[in-house]
Amino acid sequence: MTGLSVTERTECTKILRQMTQSDLMSLSDTVTNKMIVVASSKEAMETVLSFTKSAEELLKRKKVYRDLIFKYLAKEGIAMPATSEKHALIKRTLELWSSKKLKESQGQPSDSRARQHTVFVDPGFDPQILGQQFCQWFYGLLNSHNPALGQEHQDWGPQHFWPDAKLRLHARTSEEQMEEFAGADLVSLRLLALTREELLIFSPNLETNGLRALASPHGLVLVAVAGTIHRDKSCLGIFEQIFGLIKSPVDNNWKIKFINLKIRGQDSLKDKEMSAPTLNYNSSDLQLLCS
């Protein structure tokens, strides 16, 4: 799986630390297609590093200004002409990082901090299977709290979320609404209200055209799923939902880091979309987030 090497991650961090908070936030939005909400420079930096496909891709981003790269090289003891264009600075930076990676591969770590980073995803791990199992569990759990179904309530609550979990809810029905929630308690309660108070029933499409999952090298698994939404015997519309999952080292359970939920009412849909909702996010879109 592609992604930043240990050396590239360490060196990119040096450049990102020079950026303003607003530029970091903007860069994070670009790298993740605005699917991950970050609340601080630290979160933005970590998100950018985790979801960047390659060092060259990051250096070419508009928010990574020429002056940032120029200053970075100067601090590394590499003098470049003051008139150097950005592409020349990028080329020299990548050459520098290649030499550092070579030293590292020969047992000469270029930076002591590099040893702190590890790859957490097992090479034999299949995120698609996890995605199917997770969706069966999640929607069964959430739907059980709909009074109309008359089911025994399952164990829903903030314990299934990371403390800093985030929810972005975008609904396009008779009017368009965008809601955002932060914190395990608020996220948990807002999702519960969808079934308990608004009486919605979520029916996910767990076939290959409705479910995709990918894993980043750093332990985050993205699960994207499409499906239909019902109330009693009526089909109200369709949904697309992306989950960010990270395994807890304490209890070895997968917990929810973030959720992006898009709901479209029947009025805004064509008949074929209602009968067989499929994902608008393709594998390339998710790879952009997970690489």
Side-chain angles (χ1 to χ4, degrees), residues 60-123:
K60 285 182 175 180
R61 296 285 187 190
K62 287 182 179 179
K63 290 294 181 182
V64 182
Y65 301 123
R66 172 202 169 280
D67 289 354
L68 295 176
I69 304 173
F70 185 85
K71 290 177 183 176
Y72 162 78
L73 287 172
K75 288 181 180 178
E76 293 294 310
I78 296 174
M80 295 287 288
T83 55
S84 297
E85 294 185 5
K86 184 178 178 181
H87 69 85
L89 298 174
I90 290 174
K91 183 173 182 291
R92 185 65 186 92
T93 302
L94 293 175
E95 289 172 353
L96 172 65
W97 293 353
S98 292
S99 68
K100 289 193 175 192
K101 281 193 287 185
L102 180 61
K103 288 181 182 178
E104 185 181 282
S105 67
Q106 294 172 342
Q108 305 170 37
S110 57
D111 193 311
S112 60
R113 287 171 297 175
R115 296 185 179 275
Q116 297 174 7
H117 297 288
T118 357
V119 174
F120 296 105
V121 173
D122 183 341

Side-chain angles (χ1 to χ4, degrees), residues 118-177:
T118 357
V119 174
F120 296 105
V121 173
D122 183 341
F125 170 74
D126 188 341
Q128 192 73 14
I129 294 175
L130 171 66
Q132 290 176 331
Q133 294 173 342
F134 170 79
C135 286
Q136 288 173 340
W137 168 83
F138 177 85
Y139 293 107
L141 185 64
L142 186 57
N143 287 333
S144 76
H145 289 267
N146 187 318
L149 295 180
Q151 296 180 359
E152 182 179 348
H153 295 172
Q154 296 183 38
D155 184 28
W156 179 269
Q159 68 273 18
H160 302 305
F161 300 82
W162 287 93
D164 59 349
K166 293 182 175 65
L167 166 65
R168 177 181 286 178
L169 173 58
H170 182 198
R172 190 191 306 167
T173 51
S174 55
E175 58 184 31
E176 194 157 342
Q177 287 181 291

Side-chain angles (χ1 to χ4, degrees), residues 10-41:
T10 300
E11 300 307 310
C12 283
T13 299
K14 295 177 184 178
I15 295 176
L16 294 177
R17 281 179 179 151
Q18 300 179 64
M19 297 176 66
T20 64
Q21 182 172 7
S22 61
D23 281 347
L24 270 174
M25 297 287 198
S26 175
L27 182 59
S28 176
D29 283 344
T30 300
V31 170
T32 65
N33 277 349
K34 295 187 177 179
M35 291 179 187
I36 298 180
V37 181
V38 295
S40 66
S41 295

Side-chain angles (χ1 to χ4, degrees), residues 44-63:
M45 198 179 304
E46 186 61 34
T47 301
V48 169
L49 292 171
S50 295
F51 297 111
T52 292
K53 288 191 208 177
S54 69
E56 184 175 9
E57 176 194 73
L58 180 58
L59 293 173
K60 285 182 175 180
R61 296 285 187 190
K62 287 182 179 179
K63 290 294 181 182

